[in-house]
Each structure stands twice: as C-alpha cells, then as structure tokens.
C-alpha cells in the first residue's frame, strides 16, 4: 500500500495509516475540520456555464488554481465535510446495525468508472469506527474480534479506493504535463505579440504626427469657426429678441396689429426652437403671451371704434369705405388670433345706428315745422303724430333714403371683410395644392432620395465637416432631407446667415402678396391656421349680417309706421294717398332687396297688413255706395255723361285705368242717350255707370298695389255678386216698390235691367284678363269666381227674358180664353192683343238689341200660338175651309200683319200654321 502511494503523481506528505490513526484519536475530542480546496480540475460535463469555471492559462496567470495546491492526496480525498461523507450512518440506533453492515458491504462493491469526471469518495474509517464503537460498547466484549476484523476490512477497502484513484490520476498525467508545456509556448507567443503591437503603435504614432495631425487640426479649427459663427448668430438673435417688446410697442402705437402679432409669433417660435433654455429669456415667453392677449383686447376695441365711426358718418351719397387699409389690417389681425365672432360687434353697432337714423330724421323734420312746439310736445312720437300726411310722407321718404345709403355703406364694408376672408381661404387652397404637388414629387423620387441619404451617411468626415462652409441655400437644401416643405431656414442645426432676424418681414415667414378690393396689399402669413370650414362659415355669417342689416332697417321702418298708425292715421288715407305710400314702400323694399340680395318680409308684411285694412275699407266704402245707389235707383234710362263715355273708350283701347280729368272745355259736351261700347248701344241706369267706374277703380288699385291683387279679386267678385243679387231683388223681386216707391215694375224696367246686366257681362272677360296678368300661376284657380259670376249674370238675364214672356203669356191666357169666332173681323180680342204687342215692342225696342227683340217676340209668338191653339181646340174650330175657319184666318192675318209691321220684326217667321190641329 505504501509503494502504491509513492507512485502517485500527486505529492503526499503522510501515509494513509498515519492519517487513519490520527482520525481514531480524534474520536475522543471531536473538532470540526476545515475543508480543503479541490486539487483536481473539473472536466466539462456538457453544461456551457461550467466552461467559464475552468482555469485559463492566458487570462488567469496570477490567479490561484489547483496546480498551486501542496496538500497530500489522502487529506484531499478524506475531507470530513465533503457532501458525500457517511456521518448520517453513525446516528442510527443499535437496531439498525445489521442494515449498516449490509450497506458497508454494498459500498465495497462500488466501482469507479474509468472515464467521466473525477470521483472522490470521502469515507473516513476512523469516524465510522469510533461511532460504531460508541453505539456498540454496551454489548460487551463479545463483538471485539468482529469489530477488529471489520476495521481491517475497511482499511483494506480504503487502500483499494486509493489505488484506483491514483490509477485514474496517472492516466491523465500526460495531459497535465502537456498543458504545462503548452503554457510556456503560449507565454513566448504572447511576448512576441506584445513586442509587435508595441512596434506597430510606434509606427502609427509617427504616421499620425506626420500625416494626420495637421489635417485634423484644420478640421478642428473649422468646427471651432462654425461654432463661433453659430454663437455669434445666437447672440445676434438674442439681441434682436431682446428688442421685441419695444418694437411691438412701436407697432401698436401705429395700429400695426398684424405686424406686432407676426413679430410675437416669430419670437415665440425662436424662443422655443433656437433659444430654448436661455436663462435670461425664461420670462419672455409668458410676457409675450400676456402682450398677445392685450393686443387681442386692443384689436376688438379698435374694431368696435371703427364700426362706430363707420356707421355714424353723415348719411350722404357717399358709399366709400372708411379707412380701408385700417379695416383690412384689423380683419387680418382678428383672423390671425381666431377671433371669428368680431362681426357680431358690427351687428350690434348696426342696430344702434338704425335707431339713431330715425330719431335724427324726426328731429330734423320737426325742427322745420313751425306748427309743432317742441317745448310743449316733448316726446318724439307725439311730435310725429302731429304731422299731416304730406309732412309725414316727406319724413318717411327721407328715412328710406337714409336707410338706403346706410345699407350701401354696410354692404361695401362687409364686402371688404369677406374679400379678406376669401383671400385667406384662397391662400389655404394654394398651400394645400403645393403640399400635394411636393408629396407627389417626393413619391416619384423615392429612390433618388434614398441614394442621396446613403451618400450623405457614407461620405468622408472631411466632406461632412465641409458642409458648414456651403452657401446658405445649399446648406438648407441638404438639411431638409428629414424636414417638411415648410421647415424654416433659421434652425439650430444649420449655419444661418448673419443677417437672420426676428422682424415681421424676416425670412422665417412664407408670405404672399394679395390685393384687396381697395387696392391695399397685405401679407398673409402661413401660420394663420384656419380651416376651410371655419373660413366658409365666417364668410356666410358675414353675408348673413348683410341680410340682418336689411331686416333691421325694415323692422325700424315698421315700428315707425306702427307708431303713426296708432290713431288710425293710415286707415283714414284716401286711395291716392295710400297708393302713393304703397309705391314708396314698394320702392324701398325693392331697393333693399337689390342691395342685400334677399327679401325681407317684415316691412312687406306690414305693408300687406295695412293694404288689407285699406282693401277692407276701400271695399266697404264702395259696397256701401253701391247699396245706396241701388236703393235709390228708379230703373229709368239715364243720360251718359261724356266722362263716362271717355272712361269706356279708354277701356276699349285695351287698358283699364281711370282717365285723367281733361280741361273744362270737355264739360261742354252734352250727355248722350246711350253708352257706346265697341259699336253697340247700351241703355243703362246711373247706378251701372258708377259701378263701371268702381270696377275700374278696383283694377287700377291692383296696378298700384300688386300685393293686394288676390284680395281685390275677392272683393270685386263680392261686389259684382252683390249687384246681381240686389238688382234681382229690386226688379224681378219687385223690391223697388217698397224701397223706391215705384208703382209697378214695367217691362221697360225689366228690359233696362237686362241690358245693364249685359253691359257688366261684357266687361267681365276684360276684368278677368286684367287680374290673370297680375296673378301667380298657382293663383289662377281664383279666376273661377269670374266664371261663376258670368253664369249668374246670364241666368239673371234669362230670367228677365222669361219674365217678359210670362207677362205676355198671362195676357194671352186672359184675352184668348174669352175669344169667340164671330164677326166682326178683326175681333176685339185680336185688336187688344196687337195693341199690347205694340206696347211691348215700344217699351223694349230702344233698350234691347234687334236680335234680342226678335228672339223675345218669337218666344212671345210661340206662347200666343199655344194659347190660340188651345182655344180653337176648345171651340172645335178646325182648318176645314168653313166659315169659322175663315173668320179665324182673318183674325190671324190681322195679328200677323200688325206684328210684322213693328220695327225690326218684318222678317220674323211667325209660322201661324201651327195653330191648327194636325189631321191624323
């Protein structure tokens, strides 16, 4: 065993027996043993993390390794604190001794593999034996022999293990010495490498000193120069920014709000981008914000003052814009600050000014009227009510004139404001088109852009530094590779020109020149970020403000009219005065519609309301007048004055209008017996002559006041119906007997009434065409009233004709019922009949046309033949040629001769053969 230990490549200081004895002695006083470091390196086990734990001859030259260990192998192998010792066996009780022995024998059979990692069993026989003795001492000395035998066996087993371990170590001794040899070679190689590196460094240092140090110094100085230029520009920019507040104050003193706002915006942008973090300017941003708010208030106050001055100028025939440049500047400033409700200020001023216009006109007019004592009558409304119609009409005319100029002035101002809005809108559209074009071009040149980018990233250092020496335009072009098209040339990453400033006209602002309607050039900045929707809505609101101005003028005019109409003044106007007033109001309404481009309904509605009242009064007056005329009409033919003939003649010329009164020489013309209408003679009564004039007044009123056409049509229809019904009551209904006191209604009265109705029927189509030309197509249905009236009048005429026939029919029935066929011939009955027929003819011949007279007598003759035929049948007189037949024939011939002898009836076909019964 001793020889085996000496052959081990690992140095050992003590034998295993000595070590075993020492452990046996230690059972008397147990003391924890310090663990020793491992003396064998760990081989790789496949875990990559363990590779870093293996020793390195290159990196760990001065670290302690297992190769520095001087501990003998038995001490290393028998480490009592190794995790695989068998101390846990010694703690078992005596009842487990057999199992312990069995396990000990099994342990002996363990084999150490010849390959794989080093395995170091840590069995300490001394500890095991001592523990065993301590547990088995109480059993006596009978087991002493067996215990000694066991100790020897265990010592033998330990020698076997040590031999196997030594064998395994000897197998790897060649690798160990090879590693040691390689270490010396590696150290020689590293020494040569270190010398080569040192030589190379000396050469590089020499090359650097000779060839590179000068060039690098040039580049370094170039960078320093560029930095100095940037620092100078920064200082100059700071000096300019420092002068911002005094410059803004100077601009505000001259009302240059747009320039002040541009300067503030530019300064704010410079502070946020190029001068960010400057300690001395830490409060300048907030100060500029407060100054911007102050400018907002100043612009609103300035615009309010401008609106007041513009609207309160003397209202003369001057529609020039007040200080157009000032207005355009204010509007641009308000748009820039997004104060989009500034037009409301102008609207409020319009309302106040409209009130003052009426008040001032009334005061000026009242001061010129001596009859009005302003000290007694204090209120303006009361002073106005003391005016007569001509004075009040002149006042209203003056007010309308002032309002017309007022609206023209407002339109000119609002058009200027809208033009500014549209300029900004047009600028936005152009900017979008430019952006779309640039984006399209950028998409087309994507490849070129990438190549340029790679060239820039891959260029030499000297080229990159020489970029600072490029001209400003070229530098800006290269710096815009990753910037937007609207990026500004004054940036902190590029070298700017020494003249870069923050003035409102600096190169930071992309401006465009535009001309307003007043030939005022303004600069529209790109930072006026208003959407198209906002601008269009603002333009529409401004246009709506013009409509509101028209409505305000109309509303104030309506209040002025209503103040005068409180005492019924307007309702008491005659037709001419009201027509004059209506024409004035219609003219003003048309003027305002032409100026503003939209209808205002308030004044038109007030005019319509007054017109309705006028129509009602107009109609009631004429209907009352007609009623009085009919109640006093005796239904006798009246003479026709010359003026009525002229009136009818004017209508015959195709125009319905009341002719102007002619000089006094016309009054010497004598009245005519008949009214000549288109060659026909009309016998008429005085009421119908006045009715024709009233009808023409209705038609002329429609021409003067078109808005009352429908009302006038309805009222005229009512008037015509009233005349028809009332005349029927008075004549056919015999109402004139009680109303006028006539003794009887004669055939002449009936014929005259019929002819009067025919005269009115003659004019109904003319009246219908007159109203049809003035109605809207959707109102044509109202013309049916004239159709109904015409039918009623024809029915009335037919009833009068029937009444005349009925009168003769009753006469025939009375006379022929007593007729006897006897001599003498002609009989008294036929003589009486012929006498009554002659009276009838005499009564109606001059009143009715010849055709109507013939038709009437034909109907009368038919009635005569019917009664005669009935009487002859009653008398049994037949057409047999007998004596009775001859007598009847003689009487009939007498009747026929007398009837045909009347005027206009000579060619009348009487057909008297029908009086005889036809033979069957």
């Amino acid at each position: 065993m001793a020889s085996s230990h000496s052959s081990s490549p690992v140095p050992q200081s003590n034998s295993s027996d000595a070590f075993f004895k020492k452990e046996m002695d230690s059972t008397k006083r147990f003391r924890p043993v310090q663990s020793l470091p491992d003396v064998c390196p760990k081989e790789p086990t496949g875990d990559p993390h363990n590779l870093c734990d293996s020793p390195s001859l290159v990196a760990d030259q001065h670290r302690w390794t297992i190769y520095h260990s001087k501990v003998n192998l038995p001490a290393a192998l028998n480490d009592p604190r190794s995790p695989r010792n068998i101390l846990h066996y010694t703690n078992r009780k005596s009842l487990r001794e057999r199992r312990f022995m069995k396990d000990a024998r099994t342990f002996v059979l363990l084999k150490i593999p010849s390959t794989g990692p080093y395995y170091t069993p840590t069995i300490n026989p001394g500890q095991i034996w001592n523990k065993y003795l301590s547990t088995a001492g109480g059993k006596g000395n009978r087991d002493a022999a067996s215990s000694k035998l066991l100790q020897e066996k265990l010592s033998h087993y330990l020698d076997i293990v040590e031999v196997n371990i030594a064998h395994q170590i000897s197998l790897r001794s060649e690798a160990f010495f090879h590693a040691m040899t390689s270490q010396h070679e590696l150290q020689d190689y590293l020494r040569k490498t270190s010398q080569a590196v040192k030589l190379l460094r000396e050469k590089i240092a020499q090359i650097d000193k000779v060839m590179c140090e000068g060039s690098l110094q040039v580049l370094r100085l170039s960078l320093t120069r560029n930095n100095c230029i940037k620092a100078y520009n920064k200082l100059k920019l700071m000096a300019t920014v420092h002068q911002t507040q005094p410059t803004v104050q100077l601009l505000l003193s001259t009302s240059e709000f747009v320039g002040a706002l541009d300067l503030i915006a530019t300064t704010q942008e410079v502070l946020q981008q190029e001068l960010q973090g400057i300690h001395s300017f830490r409060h300048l941003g907030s100060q500029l914000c407060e100054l911007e708010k102050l400018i907002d208030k100043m612009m609103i106050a300035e615009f309010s003052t401008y609106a007041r001055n513009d609207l309160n100028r003397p209202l003369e025939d001057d529609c020039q814009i007040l200080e157009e440049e000032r207005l355009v500047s204010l509007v641009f400033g308000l748009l820039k600050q997004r104060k989009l409700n500034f037009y409301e200020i102008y609207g409020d001023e319009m309302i106040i000014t409209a009130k003052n216009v009426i008040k001032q006109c009334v005061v000026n007019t009242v001061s010129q009227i001596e009859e009005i004592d302003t000290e007694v009558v204090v209120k303006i409304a009361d002073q106005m009510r003391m005016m007569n119609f001509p004075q009040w009409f002149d006042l209203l005319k003056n007010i309308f004139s002032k309002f017309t100029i007022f609206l023209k002035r407002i339109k000119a101002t609002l058009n200027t404001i809208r033009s500014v809005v549209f300029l900004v809108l047009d600028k936005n559209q152009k900017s979008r088109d430019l952006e779309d074009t640039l984006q399209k071009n950028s998409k087309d040149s994507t490849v070129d852009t990438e190549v340029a980018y790679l060239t820039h990233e891959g260029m030499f250092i000297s080229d990159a530094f020489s970029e600072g020496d490029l001209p400003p335009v070229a530098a800006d072009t290269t710096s815009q590779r990753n910037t937007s098209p609207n990026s500004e040339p004054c940036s902190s990453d590029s070298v700017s020109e020494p003249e870069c400033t923050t003035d409102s006209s600096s190169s930071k602002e992309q401006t465009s020149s535009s001309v307003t309607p007043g030939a005022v050039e303004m600069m529209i900045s790109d930072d006026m970020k208003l959407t198209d929707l906002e601008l269009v809505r603002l333009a529409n609101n401004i246009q709506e403000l013009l409509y509101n101005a028209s409505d305000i003028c109309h509303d104030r005019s309506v209040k002025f009219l209503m103040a005068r109409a409180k005492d019924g003044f307007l309702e008491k106007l005659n037709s001419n005065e009201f027509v004059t007033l209506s024409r004035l109001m219609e003219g003003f309404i048309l003027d305002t519609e032409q100026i503003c481009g939209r209808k205002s309904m308030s004044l038109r509605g007030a005019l319509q309301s007054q017109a309705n009242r006028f129509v009602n009064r107009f109609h009631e007056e004429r209907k009352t007048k007609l009623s009085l005329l009919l109640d006093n009409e005796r239904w006798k033919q009246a003479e026709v004055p010359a003026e009525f003939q002229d009136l009818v003649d004017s209508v015959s010329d195709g125009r319905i209008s009341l002719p102007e009164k002619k000089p006094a020489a016309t009054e010497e013309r004598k009245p005519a017996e008949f009214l000549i209408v288109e060659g026909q003679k009309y016998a008429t009564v005085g009421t119908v002559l006045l009715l024709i004039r009233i009808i023409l007044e209705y038609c002329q009123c429609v021409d003067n006041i078109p808005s009352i056409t429908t009302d006038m049509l309805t009222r005229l229809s009512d008037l015509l119906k009233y005349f028809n019904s009332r005349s029927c009551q008075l004549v056919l209904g015999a109402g004139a007997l009680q109303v006028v006191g006539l003794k009887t209604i004669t055939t002449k009265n009936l014929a005259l009434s019929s002819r009067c109705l025919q005269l009115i029927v003659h004019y109904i189509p003319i009246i219908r065409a007159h109203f049809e030309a003035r109605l809207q197509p959707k109102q044509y249905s109202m013309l049916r009233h004239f159709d109904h009236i015409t039918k009623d009048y024809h029915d009335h005429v037919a009833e009068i004709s029937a009444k005349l026939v009925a009168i003769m029919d009753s006469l025939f029935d009375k006379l022929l019922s007593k007729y006897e066929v006897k001599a003498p011939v002609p009989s008294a009955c036929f003589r009486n009949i012929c006498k009554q027929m002659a009276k009838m003819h005499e009564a109606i011949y001059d009143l009715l046309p010849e055709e109507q007279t013939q038709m009437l007598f034909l109907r009368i003759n038919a009635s005569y033949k019917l009664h005669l035929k009935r009487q002859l049948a009653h008398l049994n007189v037949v057409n047999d040629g007998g004596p009775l037949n001859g007598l009847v024939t003689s009487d009939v011939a007498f009747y026929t001769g007398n009837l045909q002898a009347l005027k206009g009836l000579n060619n009348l076909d009487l057909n008297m053969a029908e009086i005889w019964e036809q033979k069957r």
Side-chain angles (χ1 to χ4, degrees), residues 497-516:
E497 295 182 357
E499 290 79 16
C500 182
T501 62
T502 61
D503 189 73
S504 60
S505 60
S506 70
S507 60
K508 286 180 67 63
E509 296 185 0
Q510 304 290 334
T511 59
S512 63
S513 176
S514 59
V515 182
T516 65

Side-chain angles (χ1 to χ4, degrees), residues 859-874:
R859 293 177 64 185
I860 294 174
N861 181 61
S863 176
Y864 162 77
K865 290 189 293 183
L866 181 62
H867 285 283
L868 180 58
K869 182 178 181 179
R870 188 182 299 121
Q871 184 64 21
L872 291 177
H874 178 70

Side-chain angles (χ1 to χ4, degrees), residues 150-165:
L150 178 61
Q151 183 179 4
E152 292 178 354
K153 287 182 178 181
L154 291 177
S155 298
H156 178 69
Y157 295 155
L158 178 61
D159 294 337
I160 293 174
V161 170
E162 289 179 353
V163 169
N164 289 332
I165 291 174

